[in-house]
Amino acid sequence: MTQKMPPVTLNDFSYGLNDRDDPSLIPNQALTAVNNFIIDRGGIKLRHGYVKHTTAPISSSLRQIYTFYKNNGSNELLGVSNGLLFKESAGALEQIPFINALSSSKTQMLTYKARDTLDDVVLVADGGKLKVYNQTDVKEVTPHVPVVDSGNNINEPEDPGLNDLVNLTNFRSIAIKQDRIYALAHPTVKNRLSFCHHDPRLGYAVYDYWPATHFYDMVSEQNDEAITLRTFRDAIIVFNRRTMWAFYGDGRTVTDYELKRINVPSGLLAEDSVAYVGNNLFYLSDTHVYALFSTERDYISAEIVSRDIENTIKAIPLEDRKRAVGAFHDNKYYLSFPDGTTLVLDTTLPSPMNKYGSWTVFSNIKANSFLERDGYLHFSSDTGFIFKLDPEALNDDGAEISGMFRTKRLDFGFPVQVKKFKRFWIVAKQYDSESSTFDFNIIIDDIRREINSISTDESGVWDEGDWDEVNWDFKDVVQKRLRVSERGKTIQFEVTHATLDEPLTVFQIVSLFKLKKAK
């Protein structure tokens, strides 16, 4: 005996990817697999592609890219490759002359002003001595010689003290807070935070004067090492490999400061994964993405953001995880790995499964660094090009965008009863100027049933399945109906796409079945 059931509609995929829990137990709005699809509350669509931003490549891998904003309203796009600094000119990258080459291509950059001229400059932390780009060339910062001027009651050798910049030969991270520059720069004490002098006569910080007493050493556990710095709330956050610290205060002596250890589950694995996401700081640890948050002025902690995709993260080799780079753009956190795998969290889609948003996965985005510029997300690459994610692009610099998504294992609320599946409808978008095709597969009790390519074009070539006529809701939405005769207790739907220069948007999957009596 069977009971005819009303059509069941699956039209919300907004919970995103969940690869951690059993496919039968996750919410209906979640997916068990997804690649190169953007998730929305109104459907799911193939992601857009990227195009070249620069017209010609440089000869070696392009690492950090940075926008040098100037007080006159202009800016320069900078890039680092093979220990050299480049700037964009007429769509190409040209090398900037140097007096001192960079110590490495692994850099952090910070825009500030010169001591005497107040001209805009870029400070470069490259793992060696502090460098400065003065809009003409790149050179090491010349340490300021403390002066004595009895007439003006100035005795810098005593207050603030001798300049220790000559001994700070491992600038690997810099940050600024309340017009004072902080750095991880000591060559042997890897957990030391140094900070520069704020000159009361000039009224601003001077990056060429780092008094020998202006430092704090964090308690070292198991040779814990400070990795990078960020400003967060009213503190400098020091990300260590196993711990995390908040540095509060500002003043002329170390007694004006306070260093507190933050209660976090894990330290930092990938220094370039750190990104500001709304009111939080996201970072990648050994196994998870965490959100650093603050509910009160002096209370900072962290919680897991990536629990739903922990198996995806664990499948990435540890050395690749160490090289992950992160960015926040258009309400999405991007976390890219060397093989092109890019995890994307849409913060506009919070859910009971994840209050921070929904995850999807992109591929073929091999980013060495990200940069938001002119409203677009750019990334540098080993090819020597800078690429731009472009909402109008239907391919990845000429390569097809292969996509797929798979639903949960659906039982429609009747886990032990056999269903006799009769028909399926797929509601998808028809585009005005582009074709749109995809493969639709069903998995009944873990047995796959494949259907050939399906076109949403009204006049397209149909596959060899038994399809009825096209039905229209309105002009750019089509319904495809498929007759089947299959039985099973559970079903999954899978959509794949692998055609160059074709978009795809799926709105709904509708099932019609009869329910057999439980035995």
Side-chain angles (χ1 to χ4, degrees):
M1 182 177 180
T2 60
Q3 177 185 356
K4 188 175 181 179
M5 304 296 291
V8 179
T9 301
L10 190 63
N11 60 1
D12 184 359
F13 310 98
S14 62
Y15 286 19
L17 177 61
N18 185 327
D19 66 13
R20 176 176 179 267
D21 300 319
D22 187 277
S24 300
L25 302 179
I26 64 177
N28 289 354
Q29 301 93 329
L31 299 169
T32 59
V34 61
N35 183 47
N36 285 330
F37 272 90
I38 296 173
I39 299 166
D40 203 348
R41 295 193 188 278
I44 182 168
K45 65 181 180 180
L46 194 71
R47 70 163 173 87
H48 53 75
Y50 54 79
V51 298
K52 290 186 178 75
H53 174 78
T54 47
T55 56
I58 56 176
S59 59
S60 55
S61 175
L62 185 61
R63 307 305 299 180
Q64 189 70 34
I65 50 178
Y66 179 80
T67 301
F68 176 20
Y69 291 106
K70 305 177 185 179
N71 280 328
N72 63 11
S74 65
N75 66 78
E76 293 180 4
L77 176 58
L78 306 179
V80 178
S81 177
N82 199 28
L84 300 172
L85 190 64
F86 294 77
K87 68 177 179 179
E88 183 185 22
S89 177
L93 292 174
E94 62 178 28
Q95 183 185 325
I96 296 172
F98 63 89
I99 297 174
N100 305 104
L102 300 181
S103 300
S104 73
S105 295
K106 190 175 183 62
T107 61
Q108 278 192 11
M109 288 181 264
L110 176 70
T111 300
Y112 203 63
K113 48 186 173 284
R115 170 189 278 268
D116 297 322
T117 64
L118 295 181
D119 290 339
D120 300 308
V121 298
V122 174
L123 302 179
V124 184
D126 60 358
K129 292 186 176 181
L130 186 62
K131 311 293 193 304
V132 59
Y133 166 51
N134 58 12
Q135 304 186 49
T136 301
D137 52 34
V138 179
K139 59 184 178 181
E140 291 179 1
V141 173
T142 302
H144 169 70
V145 178
V147 299
V148 177
D149 184 350
S150 57
N152 291 312
N153 196 28
I154 296 173
N155 189 347
E156 288 185 339
E158 292 187 2
D159 182 17
L162 299 177
N163 192 354
D164 198 40
L165 181 58
V166 67
N167 296 316
L168 300 180
T169 58
N170 186 19
F171 273 85
R172 56 194 185 276
S173 184
I174 51 177
I176 189 168
K177 181 180 78 76
Q178 294 179 342
D179 203 26
R180 190 184 298 273
I181 302 169
Y182 300 79
L184 303 174
H186 200 277
T188 56
V189 185
K190 297 300 180 65
N191 60 344
R192 174 168 293 181
L193 176 65
S194 303
F195 49 99
C196 75
H197 176 50
H198 188 284
D199 194 313
R201 296 170 299 156
L202 299 175
Y204 51 86
V206 283
Y207 57 81
D208 59 0
Y209 193 0
W210 297 72
T213 58
H214 281 29
F215 71 87
Y216 260 78
D217 287 346
M218 288 151 282
V219 177
S220 178
E221 296 178 357
Q222 301 175 351
N223 289 322
D224 200 9
E225 179 178 349
I227 298 176
T228 194
L229 305 174
R230 290 295 188 278
T231 305
F232 184 66
R233 297 295 194 264
D234 191 37
I236 289 289
I237 303 299
V238 186
F239 289 87
N240 283 15
R241 182 65 185 87
R242 283 173 285 276
T243 59
M244 205 168 295
W245 301 78
F247 191 61
Y248 297 96
D250 185 63
R252 293 175 57 81
T253 66
V254 293
T255 57
D256 296 316
Y257 297 85
E258 183 180 14
L259 184 67
K260 292 184 178 180
R261 181 168 175 173
I262 304 173
N263 180 25
V264 295
S266 179
L268 176 66
L269 176 68
E271 60 189 279
D272 292 326
S273 69
V274 183
Y276 294 97
V277 179
N279 294 321
N280 306 102
L281 266 179
F282 279 24
Y283 68 94
L284 178 65
S285 71
D286 287 352
T287 57
H288 281 291
V289 176
Y290 284 89
L292 202 68
F293 66 93
S294 176
T295 56
E296 301 174 12
R297 180 185 177 277
D298 293 334
Y299 176 79
I300 301 174
S301 189
E303 57 186 342
I304 293 176
V305 177
S306 61
R307 192 181 305 277
D308 304 324
I309 57 167
E310 65 178 27
N311 289 327
T312 297
I313 293 177
K314 289 178 181 178
I316 299 170
L318 179 63
E319 291 305 312
D320 283 358
R321 277 180 267 158
K322 289 179 180 179
R323 295 170 57 192
V325 296
F328 186 59
H329 169 73
D330 191 27
N331 296 311
K332 297 178 180 66
Y333 172 66
Y334 292 79
L335 185 64
S336 187
F337 299 88
D339 70 348
T341 299
T342 301
L343 309 180
V344 182
L345 179 76
D346 190 334
T347 62
T348 67
L349 297 174
S351 71
M353 197 171 77
N354 187 348
K355 70 178 185 179
Y356 284 99
S358 71
W359 287 99
T360 185
V361 180
F362 294 169
S363 59
N364 199 36
I365 300 179
K366 299 179 180 180
N368 290 330
S369 67
F370 284 113
L371 176 68
E372 186 175 33
R373 180 176 171 84
D374 299 329
Y376 295 93
L377 187 63
H378 297 68
F379 66 92
S380 61
S381 69
D382 286 342
T383 65
F385 281 103
I386 297 175
F387 293 101
K388 177 180 72 173
L389 295 178
D390 187 344
E392 302 300 321
L394 297 177
N395 58 67
D396 288 342
D397 190 36
E400 68 182 33
I401 303 172
S402 298
M404 69 85 66
F405 69 88
R406 186 185 308 127
T407 69
K408 70 164 288 185
R409 189 179 294 139
L410 298 155
D411 59 31
F412 304 107
F414 304 96
V416 300
Q417 291 174 256
V418 173
K419 292 92 182 168
K420 186 177 181 181
F421 296 100
K422 304 295 291 182
R423 293 183 183 87
F424 302 116
W425 289 264
I426 302 140
V427 183
K429 180 178 178 62
Q430 179 176 232
Y431 292 84
D432 292 335
S433 55
E434 300 94 6
S435 295
S436 183
T437 59
F438 61 93
D439 291 339
F440 178 66
N441 304 316
I442 56 176
I443 305 167
I444 298 178
D445 291 346
D446 297 322
I447 299 175
R448 180 182 296 270
R449 302 286 189 268
E450 295 185 356
I451 305 298
N452 290 335
S453 183
I454 300 166
S455 173
T456 63
D457 299 341
E458 183 183 14
S459 58
V461 178
W462 305 119
D463 56 50
E464 297 176 359
D466 183 11
W467 291 90
D468 285 344
E469 72 280 0
V470 177
N471 295 319
W472 292 83
D473 286 339
F474 51 91
K475 67 177 183 179
D476 61 345
V477 174
V478 295
Q479 296 179 355
K480 299 293 184 175
R481 183 165 64 173
L482 172 62
R483 289 196 183 104
V484 296
S485 181
E486 298 286 349
R487 297 185 181 190
K489 293 181 179 179
T490 63
I491 188 170
Q492 287 179 280
F493 301 107
E494 182 182 87
V495 170
T496 61
H497 176 281
T499 308
L500 182 65
D501 292 339
E502 285 193 359
L504 174 61
T505 301
V506 175
F507 297 116
Q508 296 179 349
I509 301 175
V510 183
S511 305
L512 183 64
F513 61 90
K514 291 182 179 180
L515 188 65
K516 297 197 69 174
K517 185 178 180 180
K519 294 183 180 180

